Amino acid sequence: MRDPYEVLGVARGASAADVKSAFRKLAKKLHPDANKHDPKAASRFAELNAAYEIVGDADKRKSFDNGEIDAEGKPRFQGFEGFGGGRRGGQHTGAEGFESFSFGPEGFQRAGGGRTTFRGQGGFEDILKDVFSGMGGRGGRASGGFQVNAEDVAPDTGNEVAATLTVTLAEAAKGTKKRVVLPTGKEVDVKVPAGIADGQQIRLRGQGLAGRGGRGGDLLIAVAIAPHPVFTREGVDLRLELPVTLYEAVLGGKVRVPTLGGAVELAIPAGTNAGRTFRLKGKGFPGKDATGDLLATVRVVLPDRPDPEFEELMRKWRDGKPYDPRNGMG
């Protein structure tokens, strides 16, 4: 995977707010629903979510910046300065000459300045096998008294598979179960927990591609919440525009307001102006600690078709009782 900063298009010193803003902008642009005819859209969106999982998390970002994890969030092996032709003390160490190490209860220890020759040119798994060779297999013991078993050398744990899943706002709020078709053609059932956030990832252990050791990697599913025709989200709060008639705004009355759990009645006071917002406690989106609120903003709607009687009434009101709502605005 590419450098997560490069994927998000931000500098390493970018603030958390800038990172979040960049992620949201790219998420809208790269979302598979907005690129239905692009076969690579899902993989790009998954890459974006994986990058944000690292850079958007303060602890993971620090670990990545310190070189402790790679771009996929996997731990990097550190401490073998001589391995792989690395540099030591400003001098380049060739592929044949390495520092000597001993292995005991306290882990790997550098020997007292001696040199040894390492013949293995493989990966870390091969390095460990070469270090532990000749110690007597399962029953063998190193000089420090540490018993070495074959399973102590970790096998290839497989490759991760990324996929995307789009759910409705109601499904995200209540939780749901969905069947997902992976890029490999495999189908899996995914349980989406209630209150999941847009862009959040679900990790299914062992559902990815199998590695050389037979163990499967993980399946990472980026969940996207489809836009709702009525509600918009602000954290755990939901917002909607509430259309009311002119006579409801003037005289007051009870109106039905939709919520994720079904419609409820809201009492509109007489003389309610357009733009006034009513807060319906606990009718928002479920959060970790509590459910958010529903914020309903009044929008006064006039009749669809012209009405001569209504227009005549407005003319009499204008001529007999004029008022200026813009007075004092300059």
Side-chain angles (χ1 to χ4, degrees):
M1 178 178 162
R2 291 187 295 154
D3 186 298
Y5 288 101
E6 179 184 344
V7 174
L8 290 164
V10 298
R12 285 183 174 265
S15 67
D18 289 341
V19 170
K20 187 174 183 179
S21 176
F23 169 72
R24 287 185 171 180
K25 182 178 180 181
L26 288 173
K28 291 181 180 179
K29 178 181 178 182
L30 301 178
H31 195 285
D33 287 350
N35 301 272
K36 294 182 178 179
H37 302 294
D38 186 352
K40 296 182 179 180
S43 60
R44 286 200 297 266
F45 187 72
E47 182 185 43
L48 175 67
N49 278 279
Y52 185 65
E53 185 180 8
I54 292 177
V55 183
D57 183 285
D59 293 334
K60 290 183 180 179
R61 181 178 183 178
K62 182 178 180 180
S63 296
F64 177 78
D65 291 345
N66 291 337
E68 298 168 1
I69 60 175
D70 62 16
E72 296 181 357
K74 297 178 180 178
R76 294 181 185 273
F77 189 80
Q78 300 178 350
F80 290 81
E81 298 177 6
F83 285 3
R87 296 184 179 275
R88 179 175 181 267
Q91 299 295 323
H92 188 277
T93 307
E96 291 296 320
F98 295 92
E99 292 186 69
S100 297
F101 293 87
S102 63
F103 194 82
E106 298 181 355
F108 281 95
Q109 303 290 325
R110 182 180 287 107
R115 307 291 292 179
T116 186
T117 300
F118 182 73
R119 301 183 183 278
Q121 297 294 325
F124 176 56
E125 177 183 345
D126 298 326
I127 293 174
L128 287 182
K129 287 179 180 178
D130 205 33
V131 170
F132 293 138
S133 63
M135 292 186 176
R138 289 184 59 88
R141 291 182 177 273
S143 58
F146 184 83
Q147 182 172 348
V148 180
N149 298 325
E151 56 267 27
D152 291 327
V153 181
D156 185 347
T157 56
N159 300 315
E160 291 181 344
V161 173
T164 58
L165 171 63
T166 301
V167 298
T168 66
L169 183 63
E171 289 173 334
K174 298 177 182 178
T176 186
K177 191 174 184 180
K178 291 278 190 177
R179 173 153 290 195
V180 178
V181 180
L182 306 182
T184 60
K186 178 182 178 182
E187 295 185 5
V188 295
D189 289 325
V190 180
K191 184 178 181 181
V192 179
I196 194 167
D198 188 36
Q200 187 174 339
Q201 287 188 330
I202 298 175
R203 181 183 293 270
L204 299 182
R205 302 286 183 184
Q207 294 293 326
L209 298 177
R212 293 191 302 273
R215 294 177 57 189
D218 295 341
L219 169 60
L220 295 177
I221 299 177
V223 177
I225 301 177
H228 195 277
V230 174
F231 304 113
T232 57
R233 282 188 59 186
E234 293 182 357
V236 293
D237 291 335
L238 297 179
R239 279 190 176 274
L240 66 80
E241 282 193 346
L242 181 62
V244 300
T245 64
L246 179 61
Y247 51 82
E248 285 172 334
V250 173
L251 304 176
K254 291 185 177 181
V255 298
R256 290 175 64 81
V257 180
T259 73
L260 289 178
V264 297
E265 282 194 339
L266 173 66
I268 300 291
T272 294
N273 281 315
R276 181 174 178 179
T277 299
F278 295 89
R279 181 182 293 271
L280 283 70
K281 288 283 188 180
K283 297 298 183 181
F285 196 82
K288 291 183 179 179
D289 301 322
T291 301
D293 301 331
L294 174 61
L295 305 175
T297 300
V298 170
R299 178 167 60 92
V300 177
V301 179
L302 299 179
D304 293 334
R305 290 175 291 182
D307 185 296
E309 186 178 350
F310 177 74
E311 292 175 356
E312 180 62 25
L313 176 62
M314 291 298 101
R315 276 193 289 269
K316 288 181 179 179
W317 187 273
R318 178 193 63 190
D319 297 338
K321 297 181 180 181
Y323 68 100
D324 185 4
R326 295 172 295 279
N327 185 32
M329 291 183 66

